Amino acid sequence: MVAMSLHHPSREDLEVATVLHALSDPQRLRIVTRLAGAEEPCSCGGFGLEVTKSTLTHHFRVLREAGVIAQRPVGTSKFNSLRREDLDARFPGLLDAVLSAAPAPVTSAAP
Amino acid sequence: MVAMSLHHPSREDLEVATVLHALSDPQRLRIVTRLAGAEEPCSCGGFGLEVTKSTLTHHFRVLREAGVIAQRPVGTSKFNSLRREDLDARFPGLLDAVLSAAPAPVTSAAP
DNA sequence: TCGTTGGTACGACGACCACCGTACCAAATA
DNA sequence: TATTTGGTACGGTGGTCGTCGTACCAACGA
């Protein structure tokens, strides 16, 4: 099987309740904050979350299916990025408000 | 027994994940939108939600305990109001973003 | 070729959630 | 006093959620 290529909801299908739900979990909030901090897309690991791989997969899927992040498969890994433009277009100011409200994520951008 | 007078979290205890979760339900989103529309506090009924009284009580409690609304008992009824100032202070722009993102609530204040 | 790495699929478990019905209460009104 | 009104408390039901472990797969490096 080739891809089954990761379903992403289109911009106009984003629903505010779904997005808010995706953002209402501390772990996912952490992921999103990290993603917002790093300008380049980054893979699923290395977020320093203390959960297992399967749980990570779950959280990333919830975020993707809500339309909060985009996932692009690259080799054996996956690039995750925030869907800033889409979110800003549909829900102006929401992402920024959430990001500035969220507790600082220890910015592991290690030196 | 007198009051047990409705616990409201103080401003500095508001948590963004909890607030987002409270707002991530369609019914509660509707309540909040209505509350934002009507400048005066209003009682729990009359929101036109198609759920039973007990479910209404549940949703209002979730909103109150998250710090989204304030409930003040008045006679046999209760006045609900949005905690705008507190929310704006802790999470600037969040409430406005959610309100403008939320689907219009049939604005029973028909033009 | 073998092991490692990054990720998925599936099944399970306990916790929580939205919703309901019933019973109940206090205030206002008749 | 009896009734209505606006709301709470409790218990239950079905569904979803967060988490995990195990098994698995594809790509890469030794």
Side-chain angles (χ1 to χ4, degrees), chain B residues 5-39:
Chain B
S5 68
L6 286 317
H7 175 250
H8 294 76
S10 65
R11 177 185 290 194
E12 63 265 21
D13 284 341
L14 300 189
E15 290 187 22
V16 66
T18 309
V19 169
L20 290 176
H21 170 252
L23 295 174
S24 73
D25 179 89
Q27 309 276 16
R28 291 194 290 262
L29 212 39
R30 230 160 281 155
I31 293 175
V32 169
T33 317
R34 287 288 181 82
L35 240 28
E39 271 309 320

Side-chain angles (χ1 to χ4, degrees), chain B residues 96-109:
Chain B
D96 285 338
V98 170
L99 286 176
S100 75
V106 198
T107 324
S108 72

Side-chain angles (χ1 to χ4, degrees), chain A:
Chain A
M1 259 268 104
V2 177
M4 195 181 149
S5 68
L6 285 319
H7 175 251
H8 293 75
S10 64
R11 176 185 290 194
E12 61 267 20
D13 284 342
L14 300 190
E15 290 187 22
V16 66
T18 309
V19 169
L20 291 176
H21 171 251
L23 295 174
S24 74
D25 179 87
Q27 308 278 17
R28 290 195 290 263
L29 212 39
R30 230 161 280 155
I31 293 176
V32 168
T33 318
R34 286 289 182 81
L35 241 28
E39 270 309 320
E40 311 127 16
C42 41
S43 78
C44 292
F47 277 79
L49 301 197
E50 293 180 350
V51 290
T52 59
K53 288 196 299 177
S54 17
T55 305
L56 259 201
T57 298
H58 165 70
H59 284 313
F60 276 96
R61 178 170 39 218
V62 170
L63 287 171
R64 172 173 48 79
E65 291 180 346
V68 176
I69 68 172
Q71 293 190 291
R72 186 165 41 97
V74 170
T76 165
S77 166
K78 232 165 210 135
F79 278 178
N80 301 280
S81 54
L82 227 39
R83 291 180 61 180
R84 270 191 183 281
E85 289 194 7
D86 290 326
L87 290 171
D88 287 347
R90 284 278 288 147
F91 314 123
L94 181 58
L95 182 59
D96 285 338
V98 170
L99 287 176
S100 75
V106 198
T107 326
S108 85

Side-chain angles (χ1 to χ4, degrees), chain B residues 46-59:
Chain B
F47 276 78
L49 302 196
E50 292 180 351
V51 289
T52 59
K53 286 197 298 177
S54 18
T55 304
L56 259 199
T57 298
H58 164 68
H59 284 313

